[in-house]
Amino acid sequence: MEAIKVQSVTPNDMPWKIRYDASRCTLCGSCVSACSFGAISPKIERRRMVFSEGEFPEPKQRFSAVPVIRQVQSVTHYCRGCGICEKVCPNDAIGPDRNMDTRHPILTRCLGGESIKRGGRKNLESTARTLDKIRVGRISQMTDPSLDAQRHTFDLLAPFGRILPAQKLPISVDPQGKLQSDTKMPPVQWIYPVVIGDMSIGALSWRMWEAVAMAVAYLNEQCGMPVRMCSGEGGVPSRLLRSRYLKYMILQIASGHFGWNRIVKAMPDMVEDPAGVLIKIGQGAKPGDGGLLQAGKVADHIQAIRGVPKADLLSPPNHQGLYSIEESVQKMFLSFNAAFKFRVPVAIKVAASATSVSVFNNLVRDPYNIVGGFFLDGIDGGTGAAHEVSLDHTGHPIVSKLRDCYMAAVAQGRQGQIPLWAAGGLGKTGDLAADAFKMMALGANGVFTGKLILQMAGCVGNDMGRCNACNTGKCPVGITTQEPQLVHRLDVDRVAQNIVNYYLAMDTELKKLMAPIGNSSLPVGRSDALVATDRGVAEKLQIQYVC
Amino acid sequence: MCRIGAIKSLNYTHPSQALLLMQSQQKGHDNSGFAMIMHDLGGIFESYKHLPTLSMACTDEGLKLAEDILHAAGFQRVMQWVPETNPQPGLDIIAMPNYVFETFDYPKAYKRSADQKEKEELLLDIRLQLRAALEKDEQGFVYSFWPDVVTLKEIGDPRDIGTYFNLWEADDRFTAKVITAQCRQNTNYDIVRYAAHPFFLQGYTALANGENTFYLKNVEFQSKLHRGYIGFESDSQCFLYSLHYVHRELNWPLSYFKHVITPLPFQDIERHSDREQLLAIRQSLAHLEINGPNTIIGVLPDNSMFTCCDAKKLRPVVIGRSEDTVVISSEVCGINEILPDRNWETDIYPNEREVVAISNDLEVQRWKQ
Ligand code: SF4
Ligand code: SF4
């Protein structure tokens, strides 16, 4: 008998255990070749068979070598529970089972001496979502009739850009008694209230990025929905920069400034202005942490677009300035406004934090009127790569923070001057329309979403630790990887179609929510339309408590 | 439900006409109150047009408080009219002890050097001060303090309120060229005298029929816009404040009021000749939008009148006119009552995208949004 080595890694230590039925397995090998994490491999097992042939028991034994599939015993090549093996197995012979007794978080740290990194989302879910404790409870009846979601027209647009208070508008009355504009106003784009969040080309595979861009173009040009997509930090392909589709794109700059060289160089050749510029200060999923693209994902085209060698690409946690972050952000705002000759709105994205209201107040009171949007990202947002400890334990929920910012604006009579955009776990239950609607009633002008877009594309990850391997470059469905054989798993047309269809469904659902409260334009700040079934939530958000 | 009505005439008209106008629509309202504002006054007020008249309902103590404040501020009373009341038993009215209509001359310093605007700000400040002082224990309700304007509001059956104030019998002592009226108390919420329209602020009067679903948005925004935007006892007060803000504070032409409260859909703005301005309005004044069923009647400081409704015409009005009078009413039966001989074919049923404006010589204009 072998000595027991209790320190060895076995499947029982892993978050997922492979369930394998040798009697159903035809040894086609599909699962092994499909598993992008190398978590399963073929193995020969020695089998002993005892048998008796005569009329009387006369046991004999026979040994055979049987090929089987088994789980790799490694803390690096561990099963992510993605279920791809199960998907490809023709005989239902294999699949992952969640292992409640996993020791993986401890083992990985012990064996490697390194902090755990992963992608995906927060995986510590302790309480029900705040948004699910809120209902649309003020229904129009009798004196103010509900609208008809099919028959009436609805104005589903949200502002992106700095909005001046009416008394500061450069407007005067001409001799004919009509209003005329005296000087130019800050640029404002009216866009669909659900922006596709900032996911960089690099974090995403080129096919995924292309699919999103295709969906956006289709929604704009065929469906009449002015949906905008944010590039994420990592640049934009030159061809797109020089195309007319640039107008659907919000360009992002973050602390690493990746891709901006190329953007700046393309400026003279741009035939359209971008929809906007978004300066990313922080991200809800890993606040206080900069971007991280692991070397494994820095493929040739990523090196070209970003102008970098193949190495881990880290964006610093802060925008570096001579004097302060504020100063450098201020300069960035001025220079981006100037770069596009004050035709393109420039907004800021920050991670929700206990200090968000102060940051917002600073921006809303800035005398230059240059901040064209406050994108607030909560803890439940996703990320391509982060340290697990940041992902699970840092950050601030979005709902109350968004509300706080809106109420801060109300207290100053400045609501709407810097449009509020919220994100962070919206659409987690699959129903983005309801979440978006509730956020708007609480004061958001619009919302942005990233993770849900990945899910539309076929991401198999979830909040309970499934997959979340976006950082590895081994995305099993070709979304967050640059490996050609994985990327080709993604059907670009199908993904684009899924996104378009989701948006169309969501559009109907938003109208279905607006109609019963009798509103044909977005109910921004209509918290009177909401009720909460939880006292704490009601009190914090200043909405009616019901039971 | 509300019913609203307004009369604008070349001749001085007695409030009995307003009662008649509203009485015939009584099935549509709930007979819980009556309120009216008169502009361009005749009769006993005619020779005091340039001096402010205080309209207030109060207790004896309230009256004293108010007079002390006015006195301290340097106002001198030049005229007082106490309506003869007729407190028969069985009348459905919750009357206040005193109804005060007093006209004052401005404080000396203002008479000498203040311009019109300064006087107007003073009048508002004083009214707000009076209102605050009388608020405690409901010692009084201060409705208006403005030249050439009086307000009367009371809780009860409009017919009985008319009887109580002797308003059913026409005379030429208490008349006006513009009378707006409404027959309902605020039965949705608490019964508060301030909650009955018409509402008044610095020469502007507004009354509305409907439900303002953007009430909260309007209130949150307006509370910070101007010191006079207070109370909000009724969701319709918001229309008055928006009107005041657009027309007086921003000094924009009246036609843009409609663009503020019921902005055109974006696709129509894109095609509009005022595209840039309309977008700016929609952006900057998004919180003044109304988005529910409403009809509004407004009177401007120059005594011209207008009406417009919500963007889906969920609450209509009708406008009827004769040679010397224009009447706006929720229901046409009201107009039939007081202008029975008019040419019905000239009645106007305003559509959802227009403002109907009535000038002082009764010219009726329809402005398309
Ligand atoms: S579930 Fe995914 S990671 Fe696990 S073995 Fe199957 S394919 Fe590999
Ligand atoms: S399927 Fe791809 S995108 Fe989804 S969690 Fe896994 S690695 Fe990330």
Side-chain angles (χ1 to χ4, degrees):
Chain A
M1 213 168 108
E2 279 186 78
I4 301 175
K5 290 187 192 138
V6 289
Q7 305 302 344
S8 325
V9 175
T10 59
N12 196 30
D13 297 318
M14 297 294 123
W16 299 86
K17 285 204 286 193
I18 287 299
R19 147 182 48 82
Y20 173 67
D21 183 349
S23 69
R24 309 191 65 146
C25 178
T26 58
L27 294 168
C28 68
S30 304
C31 57
V32 175
S33 62
C35 177
S36 54
F37 303 102
I40 42 177
S41 65
K43 184 204 163 193
I44 305 292
E45 278 178 2
R46 181 172 181 257
R47 302 263 171 88
R48 184 175 77 155
M49 194 180 174
V50 179
F51 63 98
S52 170
E53 282 174 332
E55 279 179 32
F56 301 99
E58 202 180 328
K60 292 182 204 158
Q61 54 183 342
R62 190 165 68 210
F63 287 89
S64 55
V66 188
V68 290
I69 308 293
R70 62 149 215 185
Q71 191 163 355
V72 171
Q73 311 202 347
S74 151
V75 280
T76 46
H77 293 91
Y78 63 97
C79 170
R80 306 287 184 140
C82 72
I84 294 297
C85 50
E86 192 168 3
K87 270 202 170 76
V88 297
C89 177
N91 283 359
D92 277 344
I94 192 166
D97 281 339
R98 186 183 298 280
N99 177 17
M100 298 296 285
D101 306 313
T102 175
R103 296 176 63 231
H104 185 254
I106 300 165
L107 278 182
T108 323
R109 291 181 172 102
C110 290
L111 294 176
E114 266 193 56
S115 146
I116 299 178
K117 298 183 199 72
R118 63 173 171 81
R121 60 283 280 159
K122 180 167 78 89
N123 283 340
L124 292 181
E125 208 45 73
S126 51
T127 48
R129 296 185 335 139
T130 304
L131 287 173
D132 294 334
K133 295 178 184 156
I134 300 174
R135 297 283 183 278
V136 180
R138 192 263 180 218
I139 306 301
S140 295
Q141 294 169 85
M142 306 271 289
T143 51
D144 64 307
S146 298
L147 302 180
D148 183 331
Q150 270 81 39
R151 193 167 56 86
H152 283 113
T153 46
F154 293 82
D155 252 357
L156 277 85
L157 292 180
F160 179 28
R162 182 55 173 251
I163 288 168
L164 297 179
Q167 66 275 20
K168 294 248 174 73
L169 285 173
I171 273 182
S172 60
V173 184
D174 72 10
Q176 282 78 47
K178 288 188 91 182
L179 291 182
Q180 61 182 12
S181 312
D182 304 328
T183 55
K184 262 182 68 166
M185 294 179 228
V188 179
Q189 302 260 356
W190 282 88
I191 62 179
Y192 199 75
V194 184
V195 163
I196 298 188
D198 33 346
M199 296 175 291
S200 70
I201 190 164
L204 298 187
S205 67
W206 73 91
R207 277 170 80 94
M208 177 62 195
W209 211 81
E210 192 185 343
V212 179
M214 265 170 66
V216 168
Y218 191 91
L219 284 165
N220 276 278
E221 304 202 343
Q222 300 297 321
C223 311
M225 291 164 69
V227 177
R228 297 293 175 265
M229 134 181 202
C230 177
S231 68
E233 183 195 23
V236 176
S238 293
R239 205 156 54 93
L240 182 54
L241 287 172
R242 293 184 172 84
S243 78
R244 65 184 182 85
Y245 299 107
L246 182 63
K247 62 180 178 221
Y248 306 140
M249 204 51 71
I250 296 167
L251 301 177
Q252 179 163 94
I253 180 152
S255 55
H257 300 193
F258 292 123
W260 269 86
N261 244 346
R262 199 181 253 237
I263 292 173
V264 171
K265 278 194 197 135
M267 274 182 188
D269 303 323
M270 286 181 183
V271 291
E272 288 278 357
D273 285 331
V277 174
L278 184 61
I279 299 177
K280 175 179 151 190
I281 303 294
Q283 183 178 350
K286 46 175 173 181
D289 212 354
L292 166 62
L293 190 67
Q294 293 189 302
K297 289 175 77 171
V298 187
D300 291 349
H301 63 282
I302 303 299
Q303 295 171 33
I305 292 174
R306 297 194 177 194
V308 291
K310 189 171 181 76
D312 277 0
L313 301 183
L314 300 156
S315 301
N318 288 331
H319 289 262
Q320 305 298 330
L322 283 175
Y323 171 62
S324 66
I325 311 178
E326 271 164 289
E327 179 213 55
S328 64
V329 170
Q330 180 86 320
K331 278 188 186 147
M332 282 164 69
F333 268 101
L334 287 171
S335 47
F336 284 114
N337 275 294
F340 291 102
K341 307 226 163 29
F342 296 89
R343 290 189 310 253
V344 173
V346 182
I348 193 168
K349 174 181 165 183
V350 296
S353 137
T355 58
S356 301
V357 172
S358 327
V359 175
F360 177 69
N361 278 341
N362 266 307
L363 298 175
V364 88
R365 291 177 194 150
D366 103 75
Y368 307 106
N369 297 320
I370 49 176
V371 180
F374 194 62
F375 283 63
L376 196 58
D377 194 14
I379 189 171
D380 275 337
T383 177
H387 292 260
E388 185 165 84
V389 70
S390 319
L391 208 46
D392 285 350
H393 299 283
T394 60
H396 193 302
I398 186 62
V399 182
S400 68
K401 198 41 63 181
L402 176 277
R403 183 76 177 143
D404 289 348
C405 288
Y406 180 73
M407 292 316 283
V410 168
Q412 303 168 64
R414 291 176 181 274
Q415 54 269 59
Q417 293 180 18
I418 295 188
L420 283 166
W421 290 78
L426 306 181
K428 209 175 192 176
T429 56
D431 187 352
L432 185 54
D435 288 358
F437 183 89
K438 291 172 190 174
M439 292 306 280
M440 287 190 257
L442 290 171
N445 291 90
V447 301
F448 53 111
T449 179
K451 206 170 59 191
L452 188 65
I453 302 290
L454 304 190
Q455 274 158 326
M456 294 172 202
C459 162
V460 293
N462 66 19
D463 298 303
M464 290 175 300
R466 189 172 178 203
C467 198
N468 291 323
C470 325
N471 60 319
T472 60
K474 304 282 181 201
C475 172
V477 293
I479 296 174
T480 54
T481 172
Q482 306 299 340
E483 281 185 24
Q485 66 275 30
L486 293 177
V487 175
H488 281 288
R489 289 183 183 175
L490 197 78
D491 180 339
V492 177
D493 297 322
R494 272 292 295 279
V495 172
Q497 191 183 337
N498 285 357
I499 297 173
V500 167
N501 284 343
Y502 191 97
Y503 262 82
L504 293 175
M506 180 171 63
D507 195 57
T508 307
E509 287 163 350
L510 278 172
K511 290 174 188 164
K512 272 289 183 200
L513 290 167
M514 288 163 72
I517 66 163
N519 286 160
S520 56
S521 45
L522 291 175
V524 179
R526 269 210 67 188
S527 55
D528 60 309
L530 302 179
V531 296
T533 52
D534 179 290
R535 252 184 216 286
V537 168
E539 200 178 307
K540 175 68 194 155
L541 301 179
Q542 300 178 39
I543 56 181
Q544 210 183 112
Y545 166 67
V546 296
C547 59
Chain B
M1 292 281 271
C2 269
R3 290 293 182 270
I4 52 176
I7 302 169
K8 181 162 174 57
S9 178
L10 296 177
N11 312 316
Y12 288 115
T13 306
H14 187 262
S16 53
Q17 290 293 302
L19 278 169
L20 277 174
L21 170 69
M22 302 315 291
Q23 191 62 34
S24 56
Q25 304 175 56
Q26 62 161 317
K27 286 204 185 69
H29 55 70
D30 55 13
N31 293 306
S32 56
F34 177 73
M36 68 170 178
I37 296 183
M38 298 160 66
H39 290 245
D40 201 349
L41 305 175
I44 46 177
F45 292 100
E46 192 176 353
S47 40
Y48 299 97
K49 278 182 176 294
H50 58 295
L51 295 179
T53 297
L54 175 70
S55 301
M56 163 173 98
C58 58
T59 62
D60 293 345
E61 261 158 275
L63 183 57
K64 189 174 167 329
L65 266 174
E67 285 181 341
D68 286 350
I69 289 172
L70 286 158
H71 186 75
F75 282 94
Q76 301 118 41
R77 191 168 71 199
V78 294
M79 208 272 283
Q80 177 179 18
W81 179 64
V82 179
E84 242 171 72
T85 54
N86 184 9
Q88 305 166 4
L91 288 184
D92 175 8
I93 174 169
I94 307 176
M96 291 291 288
N98 304 297
Y99 293 88
V100 175
F101 299 93
E102 296 180 346
T103 306
F104 289 85
D105 202 349
Y106 289 99
K108 280 207 182 67
Y110 280 79
K111 268 202 291 198
R112 248 181 279 124
S113 58
D115 63 17
Q116 186 59 20
K117 175 100 175 133
E118 283 168 325
K119 286 181 181 164
E120 292 176 359
E121 297 309 309
L122 171 74
L123 293 181
L124 173 60
D125 286 336
I126 294 289
R127 179 173 65 79
L128 294 177
Q129 197 187 339
L130 291 172
R131 176 175 166 151
L134 272 59
E135 207 130 50
K136 201 170 155 276
D137 304 329
E138 300 210 328
Q139 290 194 328
F141 301 87
V142 186
Y143 300 120
S144 57
F145 184 37
W146 201 257
D148 214 13
V149 170
V150 297
T151 305
L152 179 69
K153 296 187 180 185
E154 210 35 272
I155 300 168
D157 185 324
R159 181 192 297 270
D160 292 352
I161 294 172
T163 308
Y164 184 83
F165 289 107
N166 279 318
L167 291 180
W168 285 107
E169 280 157 47
D171 62 35
D172 53 11
R173 285 167 47 78
F174 189 43
T175 56
K177 287 186 180 169
V178 179
I179 305 177
T180 57
Q182 189 258 156
C183 280
R184 186 198 184 203
Q185 245 298 330
N186 184 25
T187 44
N188 282 11
Y189 305 102
D190 288 346
I191 302 284
V192 184
R193 282 179 178 79
Y194 282 127
H197 6 168
F199 306 105
F200 179 83
L201 175 63
Q202 288 192 314
Y204 295 85
T205 286
L207 60 167
N209 171 18
E211 202 74 27
N212 178 4
T213 58
F214 274 10
Y215 171 63
L216 180 69
K217 291 180 65 153
N218 289 177
V219 173
E220 285 179 344
F221 191 62
Q222 290 174 334
S223 321
K224 296 284 166 196
L225 277 182
H226 191 277
R227 69 189 191 289
Y229 304 167
I230 58 158
F232 298 103
E233 291 87 359
S234 155
D235 59 5
S236 301
Q237 256 161 316
C238 299
F239 306 132
L240 172 70
Y241 298 154
S242 294
L243 173 65
H244 178 272
Y245 187 67
V246 170
H247 196 257
R248 181 185 165 100
E249 296 301 302
L250 295 175
N251 205 8
W252 291 352
L254 177 66
S255 55
Y256 289 92
F257 172 63
K258 177 79 173 145
H259 285 290
V260 170
I261 58 166
T262 63
L264 287 170
F266 287 99
Q267 58 199 50
D268 295 350
I269 290 183
E270 283 303 322
R271 291 194 294 261
H272 205 280
S273 56
D274 283 349
R275 178 186 171 278
E276 200 185 339
Q277 294 76 18
L278 297 189
L279 262 182
I281 291 174
R282 185 149 194 191
Q283 281 158 201
S284 297
L285 294 175
H287 291 261
L288 293 187
E289 185 183 340
I290 60 166
N291 202 288
N294 280 106
T295 277
I296 300 162
I297 298 172
V299 182
L300 303 185
D302 70 355
N303 297 326
S304 62
M305 192 159 84
F306 73 92
T307 181
C308 58
C309 69
D310 63 83
K312 296 178 195 68
K313 201 178 172 178
L314 294 169
R315 285 281 183 288
V317 280
V318 50
I319 300 161
R321 46 196 159 148
S322 67
E323 279 294 290
D324 56 5
T325 305
V326 175
V327 180
I328 307 177
S329 167
S330 295
E331 292 182 54
V332 73
C333 60
I335 304 178
N336 296 346
E337 193 72 35
I338 58 173
L339 294 180
D341 301 325
R342 75 189 189 286
N343 178 3
W344 291 27
E345 284 168 12
T346 62
D347 285 359
I348 298 173
Y349 290 81
N351 73 42
E352 63 276 17
R353 286 297 174 196
E354 70 179 349
V355 176
V356 179
I358 300 127
S359 69
N360 284 338
D361 50 14
L362 299 195
E363 189 198 341
V364 177
Q365 288 190 9
R366 305 175 72 164
W367 301 327
K368 196 170 157 332
Q369 192 179 359

